[in-house]
Amino acid sequence: MKNGISLVILSILSFIQINAQSLYRVSLDEKTAQSSLIVEGKVIDQSCYWNSAHTLIYTTNKIEIFKIFKGAVQSATVDIITEGGSVDGQAMQVSDLLSLSVNQVGMFFLNPARNDLQERSSAEKTWEVYSSAQGFIKYDLHNGTASAPFARYKNISREFYGELKARTGQNFENRKPSFSADSRQHQEAKIAAPVITSFSPTTVHAGATLDPVNNVLTINGSGFGTPSGTAAVLFDDADDGSGGTPYQVPYNSPLIISWTDTQIQLQVPTNAGTGALQVQDASGTLATAPTNLEVLYSILSVTYSISGTVYVRESNLMDFNGTGGYDVVYSTSTAGSGVDINASTAKQTFQRALTTWQEVAGFHVTEAGTTTNQAISNDGINTIMFDNTNTGSSPLPAGVLAVCYSFYGVCPSNPSVNQVQKTGFDIVIRNNAVSSGSTSFNTGPCPPNSVDFNLVDLESVILHELGHAISLGHVNDDLQGALIVGQVNPAKLMNWATTNSVRRISPDYSALAGALYAIQQQGNTYGTCGASAEMTPLSTISEAKDECPASFPLTPTPYNTSVNFDLVHATSNKYTDPAYNQVRCDGKGTAITNNAYYAFRTNPAGGILSLTVSGYSTTPAAIASCTQIYSGVPVSGVRLAIYQASSCPSAGSYPAPVACTTFNGNGTLPDITGLSANTNYLLYVDGIENTKASFSIRFGGSILPVKFQRFSGKVFTDYNQLDWQVETAAGFTEIVLEKSSDGVNYAALYSSFLHGDPSSSGGYNDYHPLSGKNFYRLAAIHQDGHREYSNVVLLERNNQEFSAAVYPNPAGTFIKVQIRTTKSGTYIFELYNNFGQLIKSQHRTVAGTSQEVQIPVANIAAGSYLVRIVDSQRQTIKNIPVIISGQQ
């Protein structure tokens, strides 16, 4: 089915030369030369059937022939076989391959189908489309244009016919002269010409039929007419990129909920992509909405018929292995020109992609060993294999890199209630020995640009195909930038095509949001067949700084602040990120794949910002050693940009960065100068070539304030103890301890000069504490005079009626006794030696305040002594040991 990606390849044929670039596609020359029959026609009927082995579902598409451009056929119709379809509640979809719809008109490039693909009940010769989706040029009869993946024709008869006739060397046989593919259906002036005035919601989740809030689209306007004839709603088709032939939802589709002359309600189909939204009335007149419809993500849906009723339902992930999800096995068989994937580097590539989905979205898939199975089927064995001749299907078409076969079932007992189960999936990777065409993969872990920019990154392809296994459909969001190596921003992960030389091995916001929706348990009803429970999501890992922060700091970021970054689990978000050409300071493009943010603020003085990287590691580790082979094109590491911003800029409208650099290991980055004082900035990091790295960045330099790591205090009997640890920025010269009785007016108590060491610890004992509250703070003084303050420490001494402290200790000429008391009176101060002999005695009257008493000790021998304080009743109040040095 055409619900998967046409992972056809865009190839960069020039290196740093914009004018010589080319897209690698299945060219019209190749399609013409490789096809034995080329016909223009219309799909008039379809039927689905199982193959003879009852392993694969196919669709026979009956085509009414209008013109023959190559080859010959006698009948008025031809039958074309496409893979996928629905039979009796069982369904199969195949990513990357063509599916058709009734009433589609276009040009078909055909070859005879393999005999074993033909419907058993049919005796007609059947055909296959060469290069699958690229081999059907789909017409837009209203505009007289045509399109296919990588092909756009502005005029069918004058441009497309002419190119085709030039390649076949002959004119066409006109089987239906009355039909003109170039006859535009002009809008005639009429009273009720359709007009779209509005639609809601403006952003939808395509295919998510169980999420009506985000899936049901209401289109308001006038002149929509009656739902009959050619009436339909048209969407930009996500399966071939923006601006191609629209995807139509006819008025009688089960997706249409209601249709009146002024309003249409419908469920948005899986195939809808971001782009134009149109309504076509019964006569073929079109109305286009004034703005584009935005499709955030797409969920694969399944169309099936039971008892004559057609249903369209989103697929649901289930617990089919009994442990929460699905098992996958690796095919080891080399029969039929197969490849032992278990012995190939492609296995590690697949494992990296699988781990990504497991860790960021919770996709519950377990590796369950190997198999020799090569047949694609809904057999409960989810096989990962290279293309081979024993798959039971045709080789992969030219231009297709890999496909995901998805199998579905629904319990038929109550189809109006029972939901669709995804019963399994197989993934087949291109094998040049078997598959049509030729494409070379880069299996990694280093990106293609470290080997050859013409290679296609296999990990990106597999991550995409696993997205289909998760039940993600396509979105329209193509690559950005001129195709210059190292300057291309890859398309979104679930865009229909990938590009040579680029890699996207982390889900973007669109893919992640869709995956999280698909994987979450919904508690739906499924009936009594199939699995009994929905998939149990695995625990996920996310980068907390994956998005631009909701708030920016109001105070300067402390010096030596260390910030951890996890780009292994980061994503990108086009709805919030800078544009691809707003990250480098030279304005050149770059990939935006897995980024994170941190907002910081400078101090009042300005100066230099110094950033130091530590703990740098990559996943896998070999990424750090990837070799740069093209000048100016780094292949691993992290790109860093700094923007001046007081809040998150609008997506794609960031200011020019004020600083840019790259790094791929630990160390101090070049100093950043020119940042303004008292200003907010936004730091942005992104993995170069989607490097998955984790690391810490420490902020330093004079542009940032001091970081007071610790400032605390304790109350002791005779003093207050203060203790601190400070990380100082360049330019700070002194730490001052300040004291206050009211928490408002402070005076310096102690100072310590800094000597270039960024880390400073200290302490101070205040032997003169105040009765009651004592407020302390630290002041860091910059050489330009500005100060930065620490937190305030409050120490209270309210419960002490009498306290005393002796200093200096040891003492020389005098012993000074500092008294603090709330009780006035006469006290005796006595000095005793080690033998308990009284040496000196003084009587002093002490008021209820702080007071100092001096005891002369100049002529006393050196040694240990005891100061005893007694009150007037000879009660001992305090004993304080003291050392007398005996120095004069």
Side-chain angles (χ1 to χ4, degrees):
M1 301 283 287
K2 200 185 175 190
N3 284 330
I5 186 169
S6 264
L7 266 178
V8 231
I9 316 156
L10 295 114
S11 176
I12 304 175
L13 297 184
S14 64
F15 180 55
I16 315 300
Q17 293 186 17
I18 300 176
N19 295 328
Q21 61 188 279
S22 175
L23 299 180
Y24 173 78
R25 64 190 186 282
V26 181
S27 66
L28 185 59
D29 287 331
E30 180 180 342
K31 286 183 281 192
T32 303
Q34 296 297 323
S35 301
S36 58
L37 179 66
I38 303 175
V39 300
E40 178 186 82
K42 178 180 180 180
V43 182
I44 59 174
D45 192 24
Q46 292 180 314
S47 62
C48 300
Y49 63 94
W50 287 101
N51 66 352
S52 58
H54 205 79
T55 56
L56 299 171
I57 297 177
Y58 293 94
T59 298
T60 299
N61 305 271
K62 187 169 291 295
I63 310 300
E64 179 186 7
I65 299 174
F66 295 155
K67 297 176 178 62
I68 300 176
F69 283 78
K70 181 180 180 181
V73 63
Q74 299 303 314
S75 61
T77 62
V78 292
D79 288 345
I80 295 175
I81 305 300
T82 55
E83 292 193 62
S86 173
V87 180
D88 299 329
Q90 302 295 308
M92 183 183 86
Q93 295 178 343
V94 191
S95 67
D96 313 328
L97 303 187
L98 173 66
S99 72
L100 297 168
S101 300
V102 172
N103 293 324
Q104 284 184 326
V105 178
M107 193 75 69
F108 298 87
F109 295 78
L110 304 174
N111 284 315
R114 290 170 32 183
N115 291 333
D116 58 342
L117 301 186
Q118 184 168 322
E119 189 172 2
R120 284 172 288 177
S121 61
S122 174
E124 299 292 330
K125 182 178 181 179
T126 56
W127 302 81
E128 287 185 281
V129 178
Y130 179 79
S131 70
S132 196
Q134 292 192 70
F136 171 51
I137 310 299
K138 185 169 57 174
Y139 290 178
D140 180 351
L141 296 178
H142 181 85
N143 294 308
T145 60
S147 68
F150 300 112
R152 297 287 188 270
Y153 299 96
K154 295 181 179 180
N155 186 287
I156 296 173
S157 63
R158 290 193 297 274
E159 179 186 359
F160 182 43
Y161 285 0
E163 289 191 21
L164 194 53
K165 287 189 291 184
R167 285 161 176 78
T168 60
Q170 62 186 47
N171 205 348
F172 57 81
E173 176 188 347
N174 197 351
R175 285 287 188 87
K176 194 173 182 180
S178 61
F179 172 80
S180 174
D182 195 30
S183 61
R184 299 171 184 253
Q185 300 179 28
H186 296 287
Q187 294 187 14
E188 297 178 0
K190 55 183 181 179
I191 296 176
V195 174
I196 300 175
T197 57
S198 66
F199 60 88
S200 65
T202 55
T203 298
V204 296
H205 303 167
T209 59
L210 293 174
D211 180 20
V213 172
N214 295 295
N215 177 252
V216 174
L217 181 67
T218 300
I219 306 172
N220 300 305
S222 61
F224 298 151
T226 59
S228 60
T230 61
V233 178
L234 283 63
F235 298 90
D236 204 331
D237 194 341
D239 283 342
D240 70 354
S242 301
T245 303
Y247 180 83
Q248 294 195 16
V249 178
Y251 72 90
N252 56 356
S253 166
L255 291 171
I256 300 293
I257 300 171
S258 63
W259 188 303
T260 70
D261 190 57
T262 58
Q263 187 180 86
I264 300 169
Q265 281 194 321
L266 76 160
Q267 294 174 303
V268 178
T270 293
N271 301 68
T274 295
L277 173 66
Q278 298 176 303
V279 171
Q280 181 173 279
D281 68 9
S283 67
T285 305
L286 277 178
T288 302
T291 58
N292 282 348
L293 176 71
E294 185 81 22
V295 176
L296 177 59
Y297 58 78
S298 174
I299 300 296
L300 295 179
S301 60
V302 180
T303 301
Y304 59 95
S305 176
I306 296 180
S307 301
T309 301
V310 178
Y311 302 90
V312 180
R313 299 276 177 79
E314 73 175 64
S315 61
N316 296 271
L317 300 174
M318 309 298 292
D319 175 12
F320 270 96
N321 64 1
T323 62
Y326 301 88
D327 289 338
V328 293
V329 293
Y330 301 100
S331 177
T332 60
S333 178
T334 58
S337 299
V339 177
D340 180 357
I341 193 171
N342 194 57
S344 166
T345 55
K347 177 184 178 181
Q348 287 74 44
T349 307
F350 180 89
Q351 288 173 321
R352 291 194 298 272
L354 179 59
T355 298
T356 296
W357 279 124
Q358 289 170 327
E359 292 184 347
V360 302
F363 190 32
H364 201 147
V365 171
T366 303
E367 294 177 274
T370 62
T371 181
T372 57
N373 173 63
Q374 292 180 308
I376 301 165
S377 67
N378 188 19
D379 54 5
I381 303 173
N382 304 307
T383 306
I384 314 303
M385 71 180 95
F386 279 96
D387 198 11
N388 61 84
T389 61
N390 297 321
T391 62
S393 186
S394 298
L396 294 189
V400 176
L401 301 173
V403 295
C404 177
Y405 286 79
S406 295
F407 300 95
Y408 307 96
V410 62
C411 288
S413 58
N414 192 358
S416 63
V417 174
N418 294 339
Q419 299 300 321
V420 173
Q421 302 185 41
K422 185 156 197 170
T423 55
F425 59 89
D426 292 332
I427 292 178
V428 180
I429 304 168
R430 161 173 292 279
N431 174 6
N432 285 339
V434 176
S435 308
S436 299
S438 179
T439 302
S440 296
F441 284 122
N442 168 70
T443 59
C446 293
N449 285 339
S450 68
V451 182
D452 183 345
F453 69 87
N454 289 299
L455 299 178
V456 175
D457 188 65
L458 181 59
E459 187 172 345
S460 302
V461 173
I462 292 176
L463 191 71
H464 176 102
E465 294 304 326
L466 282 171
H468 288 313
I470 291 173
S471 294
L472 297 182
H474 286 157
V475 294
N476 277 344
D477 205 327
D478 208 346
L479 62 86
Q480 294 178 299
L483 294 182
I484 302 175
V485 176
Q487 297 184 32
V488 179
N489 188 30
K492 282 185 178 177
L493 177 63
M494 298 313 297
N495 189 63
W496 63 279
T498 190
T499 310
N500 285 9
S501 93
V502 303
R503 65 175 2 197
R504 185 179 287 281
I505 57 174
S506 296
D508 54 79
Y509 176 78
S510 168
L512 180 58
L516 292 174
Y517 170 80
I519 292 170
Q520 71 177 345
Q521 293 185 329
Q522 299 184 18
N524 299 322
T525 299
Y526 299 95
T528 58
C529 56
S532 59
E534 295 175 338
M535 172 181 281
T536 302
L538 298 172
S539 298
T540 58
I541 305 171
S542 61
E543 162 57 86
K545 299 173 293 302
D546 205 4
E547 300 290 348
C548 186
S551 60
F552 279 50
L554 300 177
T555 58
T557 300
Y559 181 83
N560 237 15
T561 294
S562 185
V563 182
N564 298 322
F565 291 93
D566 177 14
L567 300 189
V568 179
H569 302 100
T571 64
S572 62
N573 185 354
K574 195 173 181 179
Y575 299 101
T576 59
D577 291 340
Y580 74 101
N581 57 359
Q582 294 174 339
V583 175
R584 293 174 51 160
C585 284
D586 57 12
K588 295 180 179 179
T590 188
I592 296 179
T593 52
N594 55 322
N595 49 52
Y597 299 83
Y598 185 77
F600 66 96
R601 186 176 179 85
T602 59
N603 68 23
I608 295 172
L609 174 64
S610 176
L611 301 176
T612 302
V613 178
S614 62
Y616 184 91
S617 64
T618 61
T619 301
I623 288 289
S625 302
C626 295
T627 303
Q628 179 177 331
I629 62 173
Y630 300 121
S631 176
V633 183
V635 293
S636 69
V638 175
R639 192 176 296 279
L640 181 149
I642 293 177
Y643 305 91
Q644 182 177 329
S646 57
S647 62
C648 291
S650 299
S653 297
Y654 277 54
V658 297
C660 307
T661 191
T662 62
F663 59 89
N664 59 1
N666 296 327
T668 299
L669 304 182
D671 285 342
I672 298 171
T673 60
L675 302 188
S676 301
N678 278 330
T679 303
N680 283 331
Y681 289 89
L682 183 63
L683 182 145
Y684 168 95
V685 289
D686 200 335
I688 296 172
E689 297 283 358
N690 212 159
T691 294
K692 294 184 175 182
S694 58
F695 50 89
S696 295
I697 292 181
R698 183 171 60 84
F699 286 72
S702 58
I703 199 72
L704 298 176
V706 168
K707 181 176 181 179
F708 297 95
Q709 289 187 321
R710 185 184 73 256
F711 180 44
S712 59
K714 292 182 180 180
V715 174
F716 288 89
T717 302
D718 300 318
Y719 60 94
N720 290 342
Q721 183 185 75
L722 289 307
D723 182 67
W724 60 82
Q725 178 73 36
V726 179
E727 296 289 342
T728 57
F732 286 88
T733 59
E734 187 179 6
I735 296 292
V736 176
L737 174 65
E738 297 180 345
K739 179 180 176 180
S740 171
S741 61
D742 55 10
V744 176
N745 300 297
Y746 285 86
L749 183 63
Y750 168 81
S751 68
S752 175
F753 287 96
L754 303 172
H755 302 286
D757 187 351
S759 179
S760 174
S761 60
Y764 181 77
N765 292 336
D766 181 7
Y767 289 104
H768 306 277
L770 304 172
S771 297
K773 294 182 178 181
N774 293 256
F775 297 89
Y776 301 93
R777 71 182 183 186
L778 292 176
I781 302 177
H782 196 271
Q783 61 189 7
D784 64 6
H786 89 268
R787 294 181 173 224
E788 294 179 14
Y789 293 99
S790 71
N791 57 296
V792 173
V793 172
L794 171 60
L795 300 180
E796 295 192 64
R797 308 182 66 87
N798 293 337
N799 297 326
Q800 295 187 2
E801 293 185 353
F802 187 98
S803 64
V806 171
Y807 71 97
N809 193 354
T813 304
F814 290 96
I815 292 175
K816 297 181 180 181
V817 183
Q818 181 70 38
I819 305 298
R820 290 168 301 280
T821 180
T822 58
K823 184 178 179 181
S824 300
T826 300
Y827 295 90
I828 304 170
F829 297 84
E830 300 174 336
L831 182 65
Y832 292 85
N833 63 15
N834 274 342
F835 302 103
Q837 297 171 326
L838 180 63
I839 305 299
K840 281 184 176 290
S841 178
Q842 291 186 14
H843 287 68
R844 289 292 178 89
T845 298
V846 177
T849 58
S850 178
Q851 190 169 329
E852 185 177 273
V853 175
Q854 286 194 95
I855 303 174
V857 294
N859 298 317
I860 297 177
S864 298
Y865 293 83
L866 181 69
V867 175
R868 176 173 293 171
I869 305 172
V870 298
D871 61 17
S872 58
Q873 281 74 44
R874 296 298 302 175
Q875 296 294 317
T876 300
I877 303 300
K878 191 78 171 176
N879 289 319
I880 305 173
V882 64
I883 302 295
I884 297 177
S885 63
Q887 296 178 353
Q888 300 299 317

